[in-house]
Amino acid sequence: MTLSVRKARVDDARAIAAIYAHHVLHGTATYEVVPPTEDETVEKILTVTGRSWPFVVACDGDQVVGYAYATQFRDRPAYAYACENSIYVAHDRRGGGIGKLLLKALLEAAEAHGFRRMVAVIGGAEPASVALHGSCGFEHAGLLTGMGWKAGRWLDTVYMQIALGSGISTAPIAPGKD
């Protein structure tokens, strides 16, 4: 296995959509219940990269085996320096270090963009995701109980966060220019 991480491209949309579809249909990490189409995934890639936010894929050779991206945490201007991450690994490749590889690359890219805080919003309070984020330095920031109904049960949402760059110790310079 030769893993690499690179920026996502539009032609990765089919693989990304397939990875996410499995999680939508069989998992609780996302509260979506209908998988986005390949065209909708193209739009997601274009939206994220069009804002210069990081969107990366992990590849084993030429095969996309996972992806991660960061988007501004909320739309309001005061949130310009806070981002939320999303990380998904192909269901048959989980547990092999791909998630950690993606998260480390995403942290670097988000810091380079000028984000000062990254938040993980972990649907279903998924233990593997909590452990992954914790192993990369994220700290527990909150628990929202019973936030989603999926798979025949109420699901909790865990919030975790990490400082990027100088975090909140200094004022930012300008979005994407920190």
Side-chain angles (χ1 to χ4, degrees), residues 14-27:
R14 177 172 293 187
I16 291 168
I19 289 168
Y20 189 58
H22 181 85
H23 290 277
V24 169
L25 296 173
H26 303 287

Side-chain angles (χ1 to χ4, degrees), residues 1-5 58-61 63 65 93 96-98 101:
M1 172 169 72
T2 305
L3 292 175
S4 62
V5 176
C59 297
D60 186 354
Q63 181 186 11
V65 294
R93 300 298 296 269
I98 295 168
L101 183 70

Side-chain angles (χ1 to χ4, degrees), residues 95-160:
I98 295 168
K100 193 167 199 170
L101 183 70
L102 283 165
L103 184 51
K104 285 181 175 183
L106 190 64
L107 286 165
E108 289 177 16
E111 182 177 334
H113 173 74
F115 286 122
R116 294 290 192 91
R117 218 21 115 183
M118 183 179 283
V119 176
V121 180
I122 303 171
E126 293 292 328
S129 188
V130 170
L132 167 65
H133 286 85
S135 75
C136 289
F138 282 72
E139 296 178 347
H140 183 82
L143 172 69
L144 302 175
T145 58
M147 291 305 292
W149 174 262
K150 189 174 178 184
R153 66 186 195 272
W154 289 107
L155 300 170
D156 296 342
T157 300
V158 170
Y159 278 74
M160 297 180 80

Side-chain angles (χ1 to χ4, degrees), residues 2-87:
T2 305
L3 292 175
S4 62
V5 176
R6 62 167 170 76
K7 291 182 179 181
R9 304 183 303 240
V10 169
D11 62 353
D12 296 322
R14 177 172 293 187
I16 291 168
I19 289 168
Y20 189 58
H22 181 85
H23 290 277
V24 169
L25 296 173
H26 303 287
T28 57
T30 175
Y31 291 171
E32 287 199 66
V33 294
V34 176
T37 65
E38 185 177 338
D39 288 342
E40 289 169 328
T41 304
V42 166
E43 287 303 313
K44 172 65 97 177
I45 294 167
L46 292 173
T47 298
V48 172
T49 59
R51 301 283 306 263
S52 299
W53 296 330
F55 199 136
V56 296
V57 294
C59 297
D60 186 354
D62 291 334
Q63 181 186 11
V64 174
V65 294
Y67 69 94
Y69 61 88
T71 56
Q72 186 173 310
F73 182 65
R74 297 286 183 263
D75 291 337
R76 294 186 175 112
Y79 288 113
Y81 303 97
C83 64
E84 177 180 341
N85 72 30
S86 292
I87 302 172

